[in-house]
Amino acid sequence: MRRIVTLLLALVCLAACTKSAGSDALVVGTEAAFPPFESVATDGSLEGFDIDLMRAFGAHINREVTFSSRDFSALIPDLQAGRIDAIASGMSRTKERAHVVLFSRPYARVATGVLVSTQRVADAAGLEALEGDDVVIAVQRKTTGEEKAETRFPNAQIRVYDREVDAAAEVAAGRAHALVYDMVSIVNLHAQHPETTRIIDTELGIELYAVALPLGSELAPALDAFLAAETRPGGKVDELLAKWLGDAERFRATEE
Amino acid sequence: MTAQRERLVRGAVVMAIIAALAIVISLAPGEIRWALAWERRDLFLTGLGLTVVISSGAVGIGLILGVIAALFRVSRSVALDQIGRTYVEVVRGTPFLVQLYLWYWCIAQALQLHGLFGPREAAIVGAIGLGVFGGAYIAEVVRGAIESIDRGQWEAARSLGLSHAQALRHVVLPQCARRLLPPLTGEAVSIVKESSLLSIIGVAEITYHAKNLQAREYETWAAFICLAALYLVVTLPLTLLTRRMERRLAGEEALPVARL
């Protein structure tokens, strides 16, 4: 019994020690399953547009930045719980999310697209082919794709997956008719499954990606100032958009 | 059937199953890019290490809770028995996934464990949750072992003037210990497998790394086939060990009684 108590005490001490080490770093939460915005490289490090952007911000405010990956739907709850200090994960600014988090200025604009299964949807068909009640649409949990699929295709059966790759696999395998998701990913996914998928030519609106901070965060002014300076043509954001998405002009966030 | 022949049949069946799996794998649409998994071997091994560490911690917690709960259940106190029974029924009656959500999103958050554990919170809370989960199953295994001891042993001990607790401690439990090892190893295997769910809350155990590979390279086959194989690397030796222990035990049990 005494040994057990000693062991438990040791564990608590260990935990306390881990806390005091590096508590000053800015912990950025992300879902590292969203290339090219964030994913895990072969050596285990996180890389992508959002990772570079937050590193640059960290250098700007002279603070170390560490990243922590989890499921997309876990990001906002973990921000609220104080487990992470910011979210940089290709997250769209939406009114609903703005009730619970504080969004920075947008740093990128990406259209929402529709990827369809060539097995399930006729070659020339457009969005109207997805309006029936026998249509299955795959989306990722808590993404704007989920919201848009529900609004645009109220009759369809919306199937929600935890991860992009799983939702996309359903379309490639012909188990779902379509995936509603961001256009950058859809282009990548189509390249992965060129024969079994097709991109529908119509976009479902534009999303603005922003960093999410806890409500009332003191970091907001510095982050907004940084983004305002760097989203100008030729700034750091342009450089990163060109590096990771191959086109700064098309994805630059223009509003504000 | 001779032992040699039996071994032959078993070997042939295993080979046939492996061949069938190979056929299924050959049906994969497109080439399986095994190299992508090989490139990440260090990550996979680190992840496997964390899987083993977390599972070991959970087995430790589970053993403590399981033995306590089992002792509660065989004690003569109705209240203690009910505590043990409630714990076992609640834990065994809910999926571990749901328990994990409760631990991480509700309990850990309410107790502000992030302040205590920092970035290791998910792994530690996950291990605790897994231990509490395993403990309920271990409790039933331990209780079963205690109850499997012949009634006569109890009666003999009591008639020699030992109290209930003394009889339990000096007569019944020592006889249980050996009988317990095989089923306990089985519970350890189950804990290793359930630990894969911790990937959902961002614990960098082995399933987490396989999911990252799949998400980045869209290479599902290599990611999950390698993942399954690596789990077997941990669980198969445990299972084989269990079988050997069971065989040895069966031999000993057949011996004439009363070695006490």
Side-chain angles (χ1 to χ4, degrees):
Chain A
M1 194 62 198
R2 201 176 307 152
R3 238 178 276 166
I4 294 170
V5 172
T6 321
L7 192 75
L8 286 178
L9 279 178
L11 271 179
V12 170
C13 291
L14 194 78
C17 294
T18 44
K19 184 212 162 192
S20 54
S23 59
D24 195 41
L26 183 71
V27 183
V28 177
T30 191
E31 187 223 11
F34 190 58
F37 283 92
E38 42 267 327
S39 65
V40 180
T42 310
D43 64 358
S45 62
L46 268 63
E47 62 168 41
F49 176 91
D50 286 329
I51 310 299
D52 281 356
L53 181 71
M54 292 313 281
R55 286 223 174 94
F57 175 60
H60 176 71
I61 58 166
N62 207 4
R63 217 172 138 184
E64 194 198 333
V65 176
T66 61
F67 295 91
S68 175
S69 174
R70 65 209 63 218
D71 277 8
F72 191 75
S73 58
L75 287 169
I76 288 182
D78 272 349
L79 185 73
Q80 292 175 304
R83 286 168 172 143
I84 50 180
D85 302 320
I87 301 171
S89 196
M91 184 175 275
S92 311
R93 287 200 322 189
T94 66
K95 274 197 195 112
E96 293 72 27
R97 287 177 185 152
H99 289 308
V100 289
V101 301
L102 180 63
F103 277 115
S104 71
R105 291 172 57 99
Y107 57 77
R109 62 198 291 276
V110 178
T112 304
V114 182
L115 185 75
V116 294
S117 154
T118 48
Q119 261 174 282
R120 293 291 202 103
V121 179
D123 277 351
L127 294 180
E128 71 289 342
L130 303 174
E131 282 164 359
D133 56 10
D134 58 341
V135 169
V136 175
I137 295 180
V139 295
Q140 187 186 8
R141 191 180 309 282
K142 303 307 280 178
T143 58
T144 48
E146 180 183 359
E147 291 166 25
K148 285 186 173 160
E150 277 168 357
T151 319
R152 179 66 182 75
F153 308 109
N155 295 324
Q157 305 161 35
I158 310 289
R159 249 183 238 155
V160 185
Y161 297 84
D162 280 322
R163 293 168 340 121
E164 161 200 318
V165 59
D166 300 330
E170 294 293 78
V171 176
R175 285 191 290 230
H177 292 69
L179 166 74
V180 178
Y181 208 56
D182 83 273
M183 207 43 137
V184 175
S185 300
I186 278 186
V187 169
N188 285 339
L189 292 166
H190 173 62
Q192 292 295 325
H193 308 286
E195 265 124 55
T196 49
T197 65
R198 176 171 68 84
I199 301 172
I200 285 195
D201 213 6
T202 321
E203 291 174 351
L204 287 182
I206 298 285
E207 294 295 327
L208 292 169
Y209 290 176
V211 178
L213 298 168
L215 290 174
S217 167
E218 289 164 7
L219 216 54
L223 181 57
D224 279 339
F226 169 78
L227 289 174
E230 299 297 339
T231 43
R232 284 193 309 246
K236 183 77 183 170
V237 172
D238 266 15
E239 177 196 325
L240 294 179
L241 287 174
K243 175 181 172 190
W244 291 105
L245 286 89
D247 189 345
E249 205 59 42
R250 183 167 156 217
F251 297 109
R252 187 189 302 134
T254 43
E255 70 98 81
E256 285 189 350
Chain B
M1 199 187 276
T2 64
Q4 200 189 354
R5 178 119 182 255
E6 184 185 327
R7 230 171 305 157
L8 212 70
V9 172
R10 288 186 192 283
V13 169
V14 171
M15 289 310 224
I17 292 172
I18 290 175
L21 283 179
I23 292 171
V24 172
I25 289 173
S26 73
L27 294 176
E31 194 105 339
I32 300 181
R33 292 168 291 166
W34 299 106
L36 291 173
W38 178 246
E39 279 168 13
R40 294 187 179 222
R41 57 192 179 278
D42 290 348
L43 285 183
F44 273 77
L45 290 179
T46 317
L48 191 63
L50 188 59
T51 293
V52 170
V53 167
I54 286 176
S55 307
S56 310
V59 168
I61 295 169
L63 273 177
I64 296 170
L65 289 177
V67 168
I68 292 173
L71 291 178
F72 277 15
R73 296 225 48 195
V74 298
S75 88
R76 281 168 309 170
S77 152
V78 176
L80 288 183
D81 175 44
Q82 190 56 49
I83 292 174
R85 186 178 294 192
T86 309
Y87 163 55
V88 169
E89 296 307 335
V90 167
V91 170
R92 296 209 314 174
T94 50
F96 178 61
L97 178 62
V98 175
Q99 292 173 28
L100 185 65
Y101 285 150
L102 287 170
W103 277 107
Y104 189 66
W105 298 116
C106 304
I107 299 172
Q109 212 163 313
L111 297 179
Q112 304 266 319
L113 291 186
H114 183 68
L116 186 63
F117 296 134
R120 295 189 189 174
E121 180 193 9
I124 294 173
V125 170
I128 293 172
L130 199 53
V132 170
F133 166 81
Y137 291 85
I138 292 173
E140 287 299 273
V141 166
V142 174
R143 185 174 70 101
I146 292 174
E147 286 176 353
S148 76
I149 302 296
D150 195 89
R151 232 26 248 174
Q153 299 280 335
W154 280 102
E155 283 156 15
R158 296 306 302 278
S159 72
L160 288 170
L162 271 63
S163 69
H164 181 84
Q166 283 172 324
L168 192 65
R169 182 163 165 211
H170 297 292
V171 178
V172 177
L173 285 184
Q175 299 187 70
C176 290
R178 267 183 316 135
R179 245 178 239 196
L180 265 175
L181 274 177
L184 282 184
T185 322
E187 294 306 329
V189 167
S190 136
I191 284 175
V192 170
K193 291 183 295 181
E194 297 291 337
S195 73
S196 62
L197 288 170
L198 269 53
S199 62
I200 290 167
I201 54 171
V203 178
E205 44 70 75
I206 186 161
T207 304
Y208 172 90
H209 291 295
K211 281 161 76 176
N212 283 340
L213 164 61
Q214 182 213 17
R216 183 185 164 99
E217 313 284 357
Y218 306 104
E219 179 48 68
T220 304
W221 289 70
F224 291 136
I225 291 173
C226 292
L227 178 64
L230 285 165
Y231 272 112
L232 283 173
V233 167
V234 178
T235 55
L236 266 188
L238 284 174
T239 318
L240 293 178
L241 191 73
T242 314
R243 198 166 332 135
R244 272 185 61 173
M245 283 191 297
E246 271 168 353
R247 221 176 290 152
R248 262 184 55 187
L249 214 62
E252 284 180 20
E253 298 267 305
L255 286 174
V257 247
R259 295 173 32 172
L260 276 163

